[in-house]
Amino acid sequence: MDAKLSPEQGLNISGIALASLLTVGLATTAFFLDSMANRLPWQSMSLTLPLLLCALGSGVVGYWVIPLLQALKTGQIIREDGPQAHLKKAGTPTMGGIFFIPVGVIIACILSNFAKEVLAVSALTLSYGLIGWLDDWQILRRKSNKGISPGTKLALQVGFAAVFCLWLMFNQPSNITNIALPWVSFTLPLGFLFWPLAGFVLVAESNATNLTDGIDGLAAGTVAIALLALGALVAPTAPGLMVFCAALSGGCLGFLAHNRNPARVFMGDTGSLALGGALASVALLTNTLVALFILSGIFFVETLSVMAQVSYYKATKGPDGKGKRLFKMAPLHHHLELTGWSELQVVGVFYVIAAILAAICLA
């Protein structure tokens, strides 16, 4: 696709139409996957019921919470060096994760009969959401783009990851340290090395998802696709975690009703860090790290674009202290915007890529 396309030449679809297509597509997929697995879609242990219930629940709760966020003056601070089209979004409420994450977690716990593995991933998800809330709150309090310090954020992420890994160590079979490699029927025994890898995955996935949250509907939609696919993958061995993934996927869809372009609310770090933690914790519990890597392809590329931008800038820094930029702006979605893509073009293309990655895993 030519990066010089104008919005009129590219994807000609509204934000509400794009969100509706995604919702219908995921609901249809959930129903089909349930039918293929001989699960009744209206049963609690299915993909369809948690997905639809949480989509409806978080969508309805949003109509009550968003005015409250507006009254509390939780308006987003927009970077002045970013795409100029984003400046008009200043003042849009943020911290939207405080309503759709709890809705998904609560419904998942109830439908799974409070299975211990669901409680564990729920605790990790809410813990990372708390880190995000602290970051969002500091940004709003200081009225700048700087929240808690990077060192503090990393320390909290590592700390909660360590607690989750300790729970894994004492509550899961010892073969959890063997990484299953698909397609070759081979497992890679990591032994003690599995634990630092697990901590890295939790921290990296949450931060990668956070970096993807920069355009209306982008993170909510791509994570909804990844979560539903992960839920379908783990269904045969971990039905409780299947329900958890479907519930959070539905929560993302309900949030998307308010976050689609033009957004009435942003998820903030409260939502994005929690979603990344949810994906990583489920993958660690179910030995699906390879699948997680594929499903997180978009988040991975977004992260690489930031790392490449920073590294190139430092490597080309001259005597004046200024370096060259590899991209017009990082992460990648902002670079595409500054080269002429509209927000809806970026979101639509990324949804398609996320769906292809999900299909590869499910195939």
Side-chain angles (χ1 to χ4, degrees), residues 32-83:
F32 173 76
L33 291 172
D34 280 336
S35 300
M36 290 288 291
N38 295 317
R39 291 187 298 262
L40 295 177
W42 54 84
Q43 287 183 329
S44 59
M45 301 301 282
S46 67
L47 288 167
T48 308
L49 180 64
L51 180 84
L52 296 180
L53 197 57
C54 288
L56 179 62
S58 58
V60 170
V61 172
Y63 283 105
W64 174 73
V65 174
I66 293 173
L68 181 60
L69 291 174
Q70 292 172 329
L72 293 173
K73 302 185 184 303
T74 62
Q76 177 71 51
I77 309 298
I78 303 297
R79 291 173 56 181
E80 293 184 1
D81 60 341

Side-chain angles (χ1 to χ4, degrees), residues 93-213:
T94 187
M95 275 198 273
I98 64 168
F99 72 88
F100 80 91
I101 295 294
V103 167
V105 166
I106 291 170
I107 292 178
C109 289
I110 293 172
L111 292 181
S112 65
N113 292 317
F114 298 94
K116 69 174 184 178
E117 65 272 15
V118 175
L119 292 176
V121 296
S122 295
L124 188 281
T125 300
L126 293 175
S127 297
Y128 272 38
L130 175 62
I131 299 172
W133 180 85
L134 290 172
D135 198 40
D136 288 336
W137 180 251
Q138 286 299 311
I139 288 173
L140 295 171
R141 189 175 69 85
R142 297 173 180 173
K143 298 187 183 303
S144 73
N145 277 307
K146 294 183 179 180
I148 58 177
S149 69
T152 300
K153 181 188 287 188
L154 180 61
L156 289 170
Q157 288 176 306
V158 171
F160 286 127
V163 172
F164 182 77
C165 288
L166 281 173
W167 181 87
L168 282 178
M169 191 178 297
F170 292 105
N171 290 273
Q172 296 299 304
S174 58
N175 62 2
I176 193 174
T177 60
N178 298 333
I179 303 299
L181 301 179
W183 303 300
V184 293
S185 299
F186 178 75
T187 57
L188 183 65
L190 292 182
F192 180 79
L193 292 178
F194 172 83
W195 302 111
L197 173 64
F200 172 79
V201 168
L202 287 163
V203 174
E205 185 73 20
S206 61
N207 286 323
T209 308
N210 178 234
L211 288 173
T212 307
D213 180 33

